[in-house]
Amino acid sequence: MLIKKIKELREYLQPYKADNETIGLVPTMGALHAGHLSLIKTAKSMCDRVVVSVFVNPIQFGPNEDYTKYPRTLDEDYKLCTQNGVDAVFSPSPAEMYGEGFILSNNNLTYVCPPFNYTDKLCGKSRVGHFDGVCTVVNKLFNIAQPDFAFFGEKDAQQLIIIKKMVKDLNIPVEIIGCPLIREESGLALSSRNKYLSDDGKREALVLYKILQNIKKCYKQGITDVAALKETAFTFLNNNVELEYLEIYDADTLDELTKANDNSRAFIACKVEDVRLIDNIKLGE
Ligand code: PAF
């Protein structure tokens, strides 16, 4: 079932809630791939009813980012959802979510702003305001669907950590389930933005995973000094790959570390063919 209005989603879910059925929400921006399907599969295994939201959220994109260009493939997304047993796809318009005449300005909207020490690093450093936009829309989706469980991928590990923090700090009655990152056979982390890459670009993009794998290998061999682990990346980089960041932080709090441990996560962002790609790996697994 495709639902475009907030009121209709609430009306649709109401009888199931009244019957104490559990509701799972998988928030997405569409252009669904195997990574999303694994979230849906986990949601299906845990919940009586599964709702997938498909909404390219304007307020999480910066002025020079790819909001207008972001792939919009609702027909295919809807087909994939129905084939995979999703009960409802919620795909509102920006006006439905933010009001008629909504403009990209924060003068007119109540935002949910996660703490600075979670957002002043990694993706938050170059994408100022991005996580305010993410937390605001996710909070709205939680208020609209009132799910028991919500499913997010570890591919966007900083986002997952920040959403868990928001839910805890704001006492939102939903359980956040983090699901493992899914890779192509080549090792490339699945992302809707991979669609922008040429075949050569996809090959170049493998550098991200190679760097992360090598850091993990070095850690397993006994190197724990974070600076030394980060240094190992430089042999993999070339002119076709523009490194934005490579950091090793605590996997739960994003605290900085001088020595890595089993609960550390290495995070990387690079631009390949002008496409911004991110990846991460837990060192202790
Ligand atoms: O990860 C995403 O696709 C988006 O950031 C999310 C969580 C759906 C919010 O728009």
Side-chain angles (χ1 to χ4, degrees):
M1 177 167 205
L2 180 62
I3 298 178
K4 298 207 163 198
K5 299 286 179 198
I6 293 169
K7 188 169 169 275
E8 281 165 25
L9 182 67
R10 288 200 170 131
E11 282 168 3
Y12 169 78
L13 290 174
Q14 201 280 325
Y16 301 121
K17 287 178 193 277
D19 276 353
N20 284 324
E21 291 199 11
T22 50
I23 311 293
L25 175 68
V26 182
T28 81
M29 296 206 301
L32 302 184
H33 51 63
H36 297 110
L37 297 184
S38 82
L39 301 181
I40 292 171
K41 196 169 167 200
T42 309
K44 289 274 304 165
S45 72
M46 290 179 60
C47 306
D48 299 316
R49 300 282 151 186
V50 174
V51 178
V52 172
S53 62
V54 174
F55 178 61
V56 185
N57 174 33
I59 67 164
Q60 70 186 71
F61 289 81
N64 300 319
E65 293 182 357
D66 57 347
Y67 172 64
T68 47
K69 190 172 137 212
Y70 197 86
R72 287 163 173 82
T73 56
L74 184 59
D75 290 349
E76 285 123 84
D77 293 343
Y78 180 65
K79 215 157 125 197
L80 272 176
C81 285
T82 44
Q83 282 164 355
N84 285 276
V86 169
D87 297 286
V89 174
F90 176 55
S91 186
S93 65
E96 178 68 6
M97 286 296 272
Y98 295 117
E100 260 341 304
F102 166 78
I103 42 158
L104 286 177
S105 138
N106 60 2
N107 296 334
N108 210 7
L109 182 71
T110 304
Y111 273 76
V112 178
C113 302
F116 190 58
N117 57 328
Y118 284 68
T119 60
D120 67 341
K121 53 186 64 151
L122 305 174
C123 295
K125 204 165 176 178
S126 63
R127 305 190 73 189
V128 176
H130 168 70
F131 289 110
D132 298 355
V134 169
C135 284
T136 303
V137 80
V138 169
N139 200 24
K140 281 169 75 75
L141 291 167
F142 288 168
N143 286 334
I144 292 165
Q146 302 186 0
D148 301 281
F149 299 94
F151 299 82
F152 295 87
E154 280 179 359
K155 153 91 183 348
D156 296 303
Q158 186 178 17
Q159 169 173 282
L160 175 60
I161 292 165
I162 288 174
I163 288 170
K164 282 185 176 164
K165 173 84 178 140
M166 170 183 83
V167 162
K168 180 167 175 271
D169 288 353
L170 300 183
N171 307 94
I172 304 176
V174 61
E175 192 174 327
I176 303 300
I177 310 293
C179 303
L181 186 156
I182 307 289
R183 299 183 181 281
E184 288 185 3
E185 221 172 295
S186 64
L188 182 66
L190 290 187
S191 160
S192 304
R193 289 191 171 96
N194 292 352
K195 290 193 175 165
Y196 302 146
L197 293 170
S198 70
D199 288 346
D200 280 348
K202 276 192 155 188
R203 269 189 293 278
E204 296 290 355
L206 291 179
V207 162
L208 279 83
Y209 188 43
K210 284 187 188 150
I211 288 174
L212 294 177
Q213 271 184 313
N214 187 55
I215 287 180
K216 185 167 173 165
K217 187 176 113 204
C218 293
Y219 170 73
K220 294 276 185 199
Q221 285 169 350
I223 304 177
T224 57
D225 184 71
V226 164
L229 287 169
K230 282 165 61 176
E231 275 291 306
T232 64
F234 289 97
T235 49
F236 293 88
L237 290 168
N238 64 55
N239 289 340
N240 299 322
V241 180
E242 191 189 319
L243 179 67
E244 182 185 308
Y245 64 70
L246 171 64
E247 301 293 352
I248 298 172
Y249 289 142
D250 180 89
D252 297 319
T253 60
L254 294 181
D255 284 342
E256 290 197 21
L257 306 163
T258 48
K259 296 275 173 216
N261 60 55
D262 280 0
N263 197 42
S264 304
R265 198 177 274 277
F267 301 84
I268 190 166
C270 293
K271 265 194 180 164
V272 176
E273 295 181 329
D274 222 27
V275 181
R276 192 172 175 281
L277 302 168
I278 60 171
D279 200 344
N280 68 81
I281 205 164
K282 183 111 179 262
L283 300 191
E285 277 167 358

